[in-house]
Amino acid sequence: MSSLEIKGGILEMIANIDDVESLEELKKLVTEFVGNRVKSDTDFWDELSETEQAELEQAIAESEDSANHITHNVVIQKYRQWLGK
């Protein structure tokens, strides 16, 4: 399984959590987990290739266009169909 597939699976699990307390607890765990693995004196941007930086800049620009926005309900409906729920 690739790292992208694993990340996608994790994001799907998180998307299904509706309880605010659980989300806050998860946020603390992730913050602690990531904080222990990230060098505080490094800027992640500098570690990205020029291609990755360009792709991120393009994604940010696209996210600012409301024509590209999808409501939460549409996304949930799509994944329920995809998951067969």
Side-chain angles (χ1 to χ4, degrees), residues 34-48:
V34 172
N36 291 334
R37 285 160 177 74
V38 175
K39 300 174 195 170
S40 60
D41 60 343
T42 343
D43 186 350
F44 83 95
W45 188 259
D46 297 330
E47 296 178 5
L48 299 175

Side-chain angles (χ1 to χ4, degrees), residues 4-78:
L4 267 177
E5 291 171 322
I6 294 169
K7 289 177 184 180
I10 292 169
L11 291 173
E12 284 181 31
M13 288 187 278
I14 293 170
N16 289 320
I17 300 172
D18 293 326
D19 176 36
V20 173
E21 280 185 29
S22 297
L23 290 168
E24 288 291 340
E25 186 176 337
L26 180 61
K27 180 181 177 185
K28 288 177 188 177
L29 289 170
V30 171
T31 300
E32 182 178 322
F33 180 83
V34 172
N36 291 334
R37 285 160 177 74
V38 175
K39 300 174 195 170
S40 60
D41 60 343
T42 343
D43 186 350
F44 83 95
W45 188 259
D46 297 330
E47 296 178 5
L48 299 175
S49 69
E50 288 183 19
T51 302
E52 291 169 323
Q53 290 177 356
E55 288 176 356
L56 279 173
E57 288 173 346
Q58 180 181 357
I60 291 168
E62 289 174 359
S63 73
E64 293 171 351
D65 182 356
S66 62
N68 294 325
H69 296 180
I70 300 172
T71 66
H72 175 75
N73 290 336
V74 170
V75 172
I76 293 300
Q77 182 180 18
K78 175 183 176 183

